[in-house]
Amino acid sequence: MATNLRIDKERLWSSLMDSAQFGATAKGGIRRLTLSDEDKAVRDWFKAACEAEGMTVEIDALGNMFATRPGTDPDAAPISFGSHLDTQPAGGKFDGILGVLAGLEAIRTLNAAGYRTTAPLTLINWTNEEGARFAPAMMCSGVYAGEIGLDAALATTDNDGKTFGAELDRIGYRGTEPVGARRFGAYIELHIEQGPILEEEAKTIGIVTGGQGILWFDGTITGKDSHAGATPMTMRHDALAALAEVILAIEAIAFDHAPGGRATVGEVFALPGSRNTIPGTTRFKADFRHPDAAGLTAMEADLNARLAAIATRRKVEIDLTPVWRKDPIVFDPAIVGAVAAAAEKNGYAARDIISGAGHDAFYLASTCPTGMIFVPCAGGVSHNEEESTTEDECAAGAQVLLDTILEVDGR
Ligand code: HGY
Ligand code: MN
Ligand code: MN
């Protein structure tokens, strides 16, 4: 097994900065919504870069991209790694793409050294990890793992009524490979932590042992459009005032389930949308998180109870639609151990950590031995145009990714 292959820090950083052209925003962030023109552009760029490294790029029926580098043993189960190229509406330069480009940097390092692994290596871009435009998040790794239906995914619509399938066709990334047809010997994902722990504790590497659970709901509140001036306060069915109470109730549920509970309402709509018409219809999208499955279930029960009370008191109807539930996961001890060994070998300060954010690795964990590597991000801030990390931290993550791949290959 190779013992001292070193990734090229400048080459990795240059790729990351180069990729920021796709969906660059005026405030220095990235808007690269899944299946948008910006997503197509970065996919085309990524595909060309993989092919320039001698990899073959195959695409499945949901646009998941698989770039493969042959090993000496074509029958060995491929070792896979990667992440996602899509971003939040006002996202940053590192969420997702760091894991993809660090994987490409590992391939470039192996090519430059003329080193051939035993197992084939497959670098992956998972479609629609963010779930910002088409719910849920991690949608296409979820279909790959058999936990989300293919037809349901393709029929999902965005806020403009466009379907996932139509947008996939529009950007030319609906491949022919059945989703889930290929299986791997291992999957390793590098990602920024997106929280404050590593930076607060001056740790360079997060050895990710598992991830917390996620629960999403869509809600509709139906009151009655009426005149903002002529309608007495006691006669109103104000769907937006009711929504204001719902949002604070959702926040209160998270505090009631401290320290693990987390919740927010990230998107709202109010109709008909006129200052002097009392809103008769509002819609909202809610996100709950908890480290254990029972906590998610308890939060859902509290939500139903609180919404019923608000609906009665405010004389409105509140309809809640469960959109998605992903229970907490635990990563494979052998992969977690390989990440820890790689961090130790490079002398990086490291600690075990549970992922607060969701990742495609959460679904891969049920299909093959899976693990993750975290690096810090400034102030623990992510899903924000100011998201940042350093060249050294990206390089450390990429080095640990390469060494973990080699460690797994050497077993
Ligand atoms: O929602 C998540 O945790 C991920 O960032 N998509
Ligand atoms: Mn991500
Ligand atoms: Mn994200």
Side-chain angles (χ1 to χ4, degrees):
M1 182 184 100
T3 54
N4 58 355
L5 292 176
R6 308 303 297 172
I7 63 101
D8 182 324
K9 178 170 83 168
E10 287 74 27
R11 184 170 56 196
L12 171 60
W13 189 255
S14 159
S15 292
L16 282 163
M17 293 305 107
D18 197 14
S19 74
Q21 67 183 293
F22 303 110
T25 64
K27 289 167 70 179
I30 306 287
R31 179 185 179 84
R32 200 163 55 225
L33 293 176
T34 197
L35 307 186
S36 63
D37 291 341
E38 296 78 16
D39 187 17
K40 173 179 171 46
V42 77
R43 284 164 168 262
D44 293 346
W45 173 82
F46 169 63
K47 181 168 180 286
C50 291
E51 287 166 345
E53 294 300 326
M55 302 174 93
T56 52
V57 180
E58 293 155 296
I59 298 163
D60 73 11
L62 284 177
N64 294 315
M65 300 172 78
F66 303 98
T68 297
R69 180 181 193 260
T72 56
D73 177 359
D75 300 327
I79 297 169
S80 64
F81 43 96
S83 191
H84 62 93
L85 295 173
D86 66 316
T87 74
Q88 285 286 318
K93 296 189 182 74
F94 302 93
D95 176 357
I97 197 160
L98 171 60
V100 177
L101 294 184
L104 182 60
E105 175 52 35
I107 297 293
R108 286 172 167 160
T109 303
L110 294 171
N111 281 347
Y115 182 86
R116 187 68 52 184
T117 52
T118 305
L121 302 182
T122 300
L123 172 56
I124 304 173
N125 165 39
W126 295 105
T127 304
N128 191 28
E129 187 282 338
E130 291 292 359
R133 180 183 180 193
F134 297 102
M138 298 119 78
M139 177 201 269
C140 298
S141 54
V143 175
Y144 168 87
E147 295 188 40
I148 294 175
L150 173 65
D151 294 341
L154 289 166
T156 306
T157 55
D158 66 9
N159 289 336
D160 300 326
K162 291 179 181 159
T163 66
F164 188 99
E167 285 295 282
L168 191 61
D169 289 333
R170 187 183 69 81
I171 68 165
Y173 270 90
R174 190 196 295 243
T176 52
E177 180 178 313
V179 181
R182 67 176 68 213
R183 281 296 187 253
F184 303 108
Y187 177 75
I188 307 138
E189 182 167 353
L190 167 65
H191 206 286
I192 51 172
E193 179 202 338
Q194 301 181 291
I197 297 170
L198 294 179
E199 185 183 62
E200 277 172 3
E201 297 184 9
K203 297 290 192 297
T204 304
I205 297 294
I207 303 159
V208 191
T209 56
Q212 68 176 346
I214 308 171
L215 190 55
W216 280 12
F217 296 96
D218 285 348
T220 301
I221 302 178
T222 308
K224 190 174 181 59
D225 292 358
S226 51
H227 196 292
T231 311
M233 290 308 289
T234 52
M235 282 179 60
R236 298 183 177 206
H237 305 270
D238 186 331
L240 191 47
L243 178 52
E245 279 204 48
V246 164
I247 292 168
L248 291 176
I250 286 172
E251 184 184 56
I253 289 170
F255 282 113
D256 289 349
H257 290 269
R262 294 178 181 168
T264 194
V265 173
E267 205 172 343
V268 295
F269 305 87
L271 298 173
S274 160
R275 180 197 312 268
N276 47 0
T277 294
I278 297 165
T281 308
T282 51
R283 291 194 292 117
F284 62 94
K285 297 184 183 178
D287 177 315
F288 291 83
R289 311 282 171 123
H290 201 285
D292 59 66
L296 284 182
T297 304
M299 291 170 89
E300 179 172 5
D302 287 2
L303 178 65
N304 284 310
R306 282 174 173 263
L307 296 191
I310 293 168
T312 304
R313 185 157 29 81
R314 286 194 163 269
K315 298 192 286 302
V316 295
E317 251 185 63
I318 303 179
D319 295 302
L320 203 58
T321 306
V323 170
W324 180 44
R325 175 167 174 143
K326 179 60 183 155
D327 278 356
I329 59 99
V330 175
F331 286 132
D332 180 274
I335 305 296
V336 172
V339 171
E344 167 126 27
K345 167 175 177 268
N346 288 285
Y348 295 133
R351 60 155 279 170
D352 286 5
I353 191 168
I354 295 281
S355 178
H359 301 285
D360 293 306
F362 287 24
Y363 279 117
L364 271 286
S366 66
T367 69
C368 71
T370 296
M372 290 190 76
I373 304 157
F374 276 176
V375 290
C377 53
V381 170
S382 182
H383 285 196
N384 182 310
E385 292 176 287
E386 293 175 10
E387 176 187 280
S388 77
T389 182
T390 67
E391 192 171 345
D392 286 341
E393 284 163 346
C394 290
Q399 187 63 52
V400 170
L401 175 63
L402 175 58
D403 287 339
T404 303
I405 292 165
L406 294 172
E407 161 91 9
V408 170
D409 185 53
R411 290 183 175 175

PDB file of all heavy atoms in Angstrom, residues 84 86-88 95-96 129-130 191 194 357-358 382-383, ligand 3:
ATOM      1  N   HIS A  84     -21.911  16.186  -3.150  1.00  0.00           N
ATOM      2  CA  HIS A  84     -22.928  16.783  -4.057  1.00  0.00           C
ATOM      3  C   HIS A  84     -22.466  18.130  -4.602  1.00  0.00           C
ATOM      4  O   HIS A  84     -21.685  18.830  -3.956  1.00  0.00           O
ATOM      5  CB  HIS A  84     -24.264  16.934  -3.324  1.00  0.00           C
ATOM      6  CG  HIS A  84     -24.210  17.851  -2.119  1.00  0.00           C
ATOM      7  ND1 HIS A  84     -24.505  19.198  -2.182  1.00  0.00           N
ATOM      8  CD2 HIS A  84     -23.871  17.608  -0.825  1.00  0.00           C
ATOM      9  CE1 HIS A  84     -24.379  19.749  -0.980  1.00  0.00           C
ATOM     10  NE2 HIS A  84     -23.979  18.792  -0.138  1.00  0.00           N
ATOM     11  N   ASP A  86     -24.883  20.419  -5.914  1.00  0.00           N
ATOM     12  CA  ASP A  86     -25.947  21.418  -5.782  1.00  0.00           C
ATOM     13  C   ASP A  86     -25.786  22.188  -4.475  1.00  0.00           C
ATOM     14  O   ASP A  86     -25.123  21.735  -3.550  1.00  0.00           O
ATOM     15  CB  ASP A  86     -27.331  20.766  -5.863  1.00  0.00           C
ATOM     16  CG  ASP A  86     -27.629  19.825  -4.690  1.00  0.00           C
ATOM     17  OD1 ASP A  86     -26.732  19.030  -4.331  1.00  0.00           O
ATOM     18  OD2 ASP A  86     -28.755  19.886  -4.155  1.00  0.00           O
ATOM     19  N   THR A  87     -26.415  23.384  -4.414  1.00  0.00           N
ATOM     20  CA  THR A  87     -26.296  24.206  -3.201  1.00  0.00           C
ATOM     21  C   THR A  87     -27.660  24.714  -2.754  1.00  0.00           C
ATOM     22  O   THR A  87     -28.655  24.571  -3.452  1.00  0.00           O
ATOM     23  CB  THR A  87     -25.406  25.462  -3.445  1.00  0.00           C
ATOM     24  OG1 THR A  87     -26.155  26.408  -4.235  1.00  0.00           O
ATOM     25  CG2 THR A  87     -24.103  25.116  -4.124  1.00  0.00           C
ATOM     26  N   GLN A  88     -27.666  25.333  -1.612  1.00  0.00           N
ATOM     27  CA  GLN A  88     -28.829  26.056  -1.112  1.00  0.00           C
ATOM     28  C   GLN A  88     -29.034  27.321  -1.972  1.00  0.00           C
ATOM     29  O   GLN A  88     -28.131  27.698  -2.732  1.00  0.00           O
ATOM     30  CB  GLN A  88     -28.572  26.463   0.341  1.00  0.00           C
ATOM     31  CG  GLN A  88     -28.677  25.301   1.318  1.00  0.00           C
ATOM     32  CD  GLN A  88     -30.096  24.858   1.571  1.00  0.00           C
ATOM     33  OE1 GLN A  88     -31.004  25.680   1.729  1.00  0.00           O
ATOM     34  NE2 GLN A  88     -30.301  23.563   1.594  1.00  0.00           N
ATOM     35  N   ASP A  95     -19.881  23.624   0.830  1.00  0.00           N
ATOM     36  CA  ASP A  95     -20.892  22.619   1.161  1.00  0.00           C
ATOM     37  C   ASP A  95     -21.104  21.697  -0.043  1.00  0.00           C
ATOM     38  O   ASP A  95     -21.587  22.143  -1.079  1.00  0.00           O
ATOM     39  CB  ASP A  95     -22.191  23.341   1.538  1.00  0.00           C
ATOM     40  CG  ASP A  95     -23.343  22.385   1.816  1.00  0.00           C
ATOM     41  OD1 ASP A  95     -23.161  21.153   1.667  1.00  0.00           O
ATOM     42  OD2 ASP A  95     -24.417  22.874   2.197  1.00  0.00           O
ATOM     43  N   GLY A  96     -20.727  20.453   0.101  1.00  0.00           N
ATOM     44  CA  GLY A  96     -20.898  19.445  -0.961  1.00  0.00           C
ATOM     45  C   GLY A  96     -19.703  19.373  -1.884  1.00  0.00           C
ATOM     46  O   GLY A  96     -19.035  18.338  -1.981  1.00  0.00           O
ATOM     47  N   GLU A 129     -28.846  16.786  -3.271  1.00  0.00           N
ATOM     48  CA  GLU A 129     -28.614  16.506  -1.844  1.00  0.00           C
ATOM     49  C   GLU A 129     -29.361  17.541  -0.998  1.00  0.00           C
ATOM     50  O   GLU A 129     -29.852  17.228   0.082  1.00  0.00           O
ATOM     51  CB  GLU A 129     -27.111  16.553  -1.541  1.00  0.00           C
ATOM     52  CG  GLU A 129     -26.745  16.104  -0.140  1.00  0.00           C
ATOM     53  CD  GLU A 129     -27.014  17.156   0.922  1.00  0.00           C
ATOM     54  OE1 GLU A 129     -27.092  18.351   0.576  1.00  0.00           O
ATOM     55  OE2 GLU A 129     -27.180  16.781   2.095  1.00  0.00           O
ATOM     56  N   GLU A 130     -29.455  18.781  -1.484  1.00  0.00           N
ATOM     57  CA  GLU A 130     -29.950  19.850  -0.611  1.00  0.00           C
ATOM     58  C   GLU A 130     -31.463  19.803  -0.369  1.00  0.00           C
ATOM     59  O   GLU A 130     -31.923  20.226   0.699  1.00  0.00           O
ATOM     60  CB  GLU A 130     -29.575  21.228  -1.197  1.00  0.00           C
ATOM     61  CG  GLU A 130     -28.085  21.510  -1.158  1.00  0.00           C
ATOM     62  CD  GLU A 130     -27.546  21.684   0.252  1.00  0.00           C
ATOM     63  OE1 GLU A 130     -28.314  21.601   1.216  1.00  0.00           O
ATOM     64  OE2 GLU A 130     -26.326  21.868   0.391  1.00  0.00           O
ATOM     65  N   HIS A 191     -16.736  16.365   4.143  1.00  0.00           N
ATOM     66  CA  HIS A 191     -17.677  17.504   4.154  1.00  0.00           C
ATOM     67  C   HIS A 191     -17.233  18.507   5.218  1.00  0.00           C
ATOM     68  O   HIS A 191     -16.571  18.142   6.198  1.00  0.00           O
ATOM     69  CB  HIS A 191     -19.090  17.002   4.490  1.00  0.00           C
ATOM     70  CG  HIS A 191     -20.190  17.860   3.954  1.00  0.00           C
ATOM     71  ND1 HIS A 191     -20.509  19.083   4.487  1.00  0.00           N
ATOM     72  CD2 HIS A 191     -21.024  17.693   2.899  1.00  0.00           C
ATOM     73  CE1 HIS A 191     -21.528  19.600   3.808  1.00  0.00           C
ATOM     74  NE2 HIS A 191     -21.860  18.792   2.839  1.00  0.00           N
ATOM     75  N   GLN A 194     -20.195  22.230   9.198  1.00  0.00           N
ATOM     76  CA  GLN A 194     -21.390  23.076   9.147  1.00  0.00           C
ATOM     77  C   GLN A 194     -21.900  23.438  10.547  1.00  0.00           C
ATOM     78  O   GLN A 194     -23.005  23.947  10.691  1.00  0.00           O
ATOM     79  CB  GLN A 194     -22.507  22.424   8.319  1.00  0.00           C
ATOM     80  CG  GLN A 194     -22.079  22.151   6.874  1.00  0.00           C
ATOM     81  CD  GLN A 194     -23.163  21.536   6.023  1.00  0.00           C
ATOM     82  OE1 GLN A 194     -23.535  20.385   6.222  1.00  0.00           O
ATOM     83  NE2 GLN A 194     -23.663  22.294   5.053  1.00  0.00           N
ATOM     84  N   ALA A 357     -25.841  17.945  10.392  1.00  0.00           N
ATOM     85  CA  ALA A 357     -26.461  18.090   9.068  1.00  0.00           C
ATOM     86  C   ALA A 357     -26.653  16.714   8.447  1.00  0.00           C
ATOM     87  O   ALA A 357     -25.975  15.746   8.806  1.00  0.00           O
ATOM     88  CB  ALA A 357     -25.564  18.944   8.171  1.00  0.00           C
ATOM     89  N   GLY A 358     -27.576  16.657   7.481  1.00  0.00           N
ATOM     90  CA  GLY A 358     -27.780  15.408   6.739  1.00  0.00           C
ATOM     91  C   GLY A 358     -26.811  15.338   5.574  1.00  0.00           C
ATOM     92  O   GLY A 358     -26.330  16.363   5.082  1.00  0.00           O
ATOM     93  N   SER A 382     -22.725  27.717   7.856  1.00  0.00           N
ATOM     94  CA  SER A 382     -22.941  27.113   6.533  1.00  0.00           C
ATOM     95  C   SER A 382     -24.388  27.398   6.133  1.00  0.00           C
ATOM     96  O   SER A 382     -25.161  27.939   6.914  1.00  0.00           O
ATOM     97  CB  SER A 382     -22.680  25.612   6.605  1.00  0.00           C
ATOM     98  OG  SER A 382     -22.849  25.015   5.330  1.00  0.00           O
ATOM     99  N   HIS A 383     -24.735  27.039   4.862  1.00  0.00           N
ATOM    100  CA  HIS A 383     -26.044  27.457   4.327  1.00  0.00           C
ATOM    101  C   HIS A 383     -26.138  28.964   4.465  1.00  0.00           C
ATOM    102  O   HIS A 383     -27.156  29.522   4.867  1.00  0.00           O
ATOM    103  CB  HIS A 383     -27.211  26.741   5.032  1.00  0.00           C
ATOM    104  CG  HIS A 383     -27.345  25.313   4.603  1.00  0.00           C
ATOM    105  ND1 HIS A 383     -28.459  24.542   4.828  1.00  0.00           N
ATOM    106  CD2 HIS A 383     -26.479  24.502   3.960  1.00  0.00           C
ATOM    107  CE1 HIS A 383     -28.287  23.330   4.315  1.00  0.00           C
ATOM    108  NE2 HIS A 383     -27.088  23.277   3.812  1.00  0.00           N
TER     109      HIS A 383
HETATM  110 MN    MN B   3     -26.229  21.692   2.604  1.00  0.00          MN
END
